[in-house]
Amino acid sequence: MELGLWGDLMLIAPITANTLSKLASGACDNFLLATFLSAKCPVMLAPAMDLDMYSNSATQDNLDVLKKRGITVLDSPSGELASGLCGKGRMEEPEEIANAIEDFFTSNKPLTGRKALVTAGPTYENIDPVRFIGNYSSGKMGFAIAEALSNQGAQVTLVSGPSALQNTNPDIKLIKVTSALEMMEACENAFPTVNITVMAAAVSDYRPRVTADSKIKREKKGAFSIDLIPNPDIIKTLGSAKTDSQYLLGFALETNNAEENAKKKIISKNLDAIVLNSLKEKGAGFGVDTNKISIIDSDNKITRFELKSKADVASDIVDFIITRTSK
Ligand code: CTP
C-alpha cells in the first residue's frame, strides 16, 4: 500500500486480460491489485495478450472503463504474438513505453517549454596571477534554484562564478565564469531568449583597474592600495532590456534597513520581485545549508518564509515564480 502512495507513476507492463478485468472490477486478491487500488499517482498500462482475447468485447469494455477513470492505456500494436499468431495484442515496444513515461513527466510540469537563466556563486576579480578580490558565496542557493526550476520543467542555463559545487543534472547547462565581466557577457548572451531570470550570484561591485601580469612583491615599508573601478551592474543591465514577457528576480543581502533597501533595488534595477535574506538571521546567508527569506513583489507585498534547507527555499522561490508567471 505504501508503494502506491510513494510512486509518482505506476506502470503495469505487461498487463494480461485477466489482470485488466480485475482492475476494472476493483478486485484486490494480490499484491499488485492492492497497490493499484491504493495508488494516488497516475497509472499507465501496457496490455499484452493474444489477438482474440484483445478484441473480445469484455476486454475492450474493461479498457474503456479504465480509460474513463483516467488511466492511460498504451497501444497494443499488431505483430507476432506469443501464441505464434499474428495480430493486435503485443505489448508496446519498451522504447515507446519509455518515451510515454518521459512525455508524461515533461508535459505535466508547470515550466515545460520555458527557459530560465540563473546566476550563482561569487565572482573573483584578479589582482595579480595569485590574488583576487572575492566573497564568501558558496553558490548553494543558485545551484538549488537551478535544480528546482529544472524539476518544474524549465530549460535552465546556470552561470556560476567559482564554486566547489558540481552540476550533476544533465538538463542544466552550466557556464563557468570567474569575473563579473565574464558573468555579464554570459548573461547578456542568454538573456534575450529566456522567460525567467534569477540572479543569486554575489557579484563583486568593483574590480582592480589593472591586473598585474606577475605577482606583486611586498613593499619594503608603507601602505599598499589597489585602485578599484566599478563593475557593471549585471541585473540592472538586464532589467533595462527586459520585455513584458520576461520575469526578473533579484536577491538582496542586507545588514541594515533590509526591507527598505530591497524595495529600492526593485525600482532601481527594474525587477519583478526580490528575495531578501538578512545576514542577521541565524542560519541564513553564506556557506550554510539553510536560509530564511522574504520575497518582495514589485507592488511591495511581502511574503515571509520560515528557516528551511536551501533546497526547500529554492522550491518556495520557484513556486512563487510559477504563481506570478502562469496566466
Ligand atoms: N548584482 C548584479 N551585478 C552586480 C551587483 C549585483 O547582477 N554588479 C545583482 C545580484 O546578483 C543580486 C542583486 O543584484 O541579485 C542585488 O545585489 P546586491 O549586492 O544586494 O546589490 P547592489 O546593487 O550591489 O547593492 P549594494 O551592494 O549597494 O547593497
Side-chain angles (χ1 to χ4, degrees):
M1 292 5 69
E2 214 177 301
L3 275 176
L5 303 177
W6 165 84
D8 295 317
L9 173 72
M10 180 173 183
L11 166 72
I12 310 179
I15 182 161
T16 61
N18 185 40
T19 303
L20 268 180
S21 84
K22 288 184 171 186
L23 294 196
S25 69
C28 186
D29 60 5
N30 64 33
F31 173 72
L32 174 69
L33 297 172
T35 307
F36 169 77
L37 279 181
S38 16
K40 288 258 186 287
C41 59
V43 179
M44 207 179 259
L45 309 175
M49 62 199 78
D50 217 4
L51 75 166
D52 294 325
M53 296 164 82
Y54 184 76
S55 60
N56 190 293
S57 47
T59 304
Q60 289 302 316
D61 286 352
N62 287 335
L63 286 171
D64 285 345
V65 165
L66 292 165
K67 283 182 196 164
K68 276 189 197 125
R69 290 181 193 156
I71 288 166
T72 304
V73 179
L74 300 175
D75 191 28
S76 298
S78 286
E80 195 179 333
L81 300 161
S83 61
L85 296 172
C86 210
K88 216 164 155 51
R90 279 170 66 88
M91 189 183 82
E92 183 57 286
E93 293 301 323
E95 294 77 19
E96 292 302 323
I97 297 178
N99 287 342
I101 294 170
E102 197 177 332
D103 284 352
F104 168 81
F105 280 112
T106 49
S107 64
N108 280 294
K109 293 182 173 176
L111 296 179
T112 298
R114 310 274 192 95
K115 287 186 176 176
L117 167 66
V118 180
T119 64
T123 63
Y124 286 180
E125 312 299 328
N126 287 344
I127 298 168
D128 69 13
V130 293
R131 304 180 182 96
F132 58 84
I133 297 169
N135 59 67
Y136 289 117
S137 172
S138 62
K140 284 179 183 169
M141 200 60 249
F143 272 67
I145 291 168
E147 194 69 40
L149 285 163
S150 172
N151 287 342
Q152 295 293 354
Q155 200 182 319
V156 182
T157 299
L158 172 61
V159 178
S160 175
S163 163
L165 299 176
Q166 306 283 334
N167 172 40
T168 51
N169 183 337
D171 296 330
I172 297 176
K173 180 183 170 194
L174 173 65
I175 300 176
K176 290 183 176 178
V177 296
T178 303
S179 65
L181 288 180
E182 288 171 15
M183 187 171 277
M184 172 84 169
E185 191 187 343
C187 288
E188 280 193 303
N189 286 339
F191 189 68
T193 60
V194 301
N195 312 99
I196 296 162
T197 302
V198 181
M199 307 289 280
V203 184
S204 175
D205 285 325
Y206 294 89
R207 67 177 185 277
R209 182 183 294 280
V210 180
T211 300
D213 289 337
S214 51
K215 188 182 165 207
I216 299 169
K217 301 299 281 179
R218 186 190 169 107
E219 296 288 328
K220 287 228 160 49
K221 53 182 170 223
F224 177 78
S225 61
I226 301 169
D227 193 13
L228 299 177
I229 56 169
N231 265 329
D233 187 332
I234 304 171
I235 200 167
K236 191 170 182 173
T237 310
L238 302 185
S240 62
K242 183 167 76 82
T243 64
D244 287 347
S245 62
Q246 289 179 304
Y247 190 86
L248 180 59
L249 183 82
F251 267 72
L253 188 68
E254 304 286 344
T255 48
N256 297 309
N257 298 330
E259 286 178 10
E260 275 321 294
N261 286 332
K263 284 176 187 170
K264 281 185 196 154
K265 282 180 188 171
I266 294 181
I267 296 166
S268 67
K269 295 170 193 265
N270 194 28
L271 310 182
D272 293 290
I274 198 157
V275 176
L276 174 64
N277 41 21
S278 168
L279 269 183
K280 285 181 179 161
E281 298 282 356
K282 207 164 171 271
F286 288 152
V288 290
D289 288 323
T290 51
N291 204 358
K292 187 168 189 304
I293 60 154
S294 310
I295 306 181
I296 309 178
D297 247 334
S298 55
D299 57 10
N300 279 346
K301 188 170 167 287
I302 303 183
T303 313
R304 295 174 213 279
F305 297 85
E306 296 301 313
L307 182 74
K308 295 181 182 188
S309 72
K310 284 188 174 168
D312 287 344
V313 171
S315 293
D316 287 341
I317 293 171
V318 171
D319 288 346
F320 181 90
I321 294 171
I322 291 167
T323 61
R324 296 303 188 279
T325 56
S326 54
K327 292 187 183 97

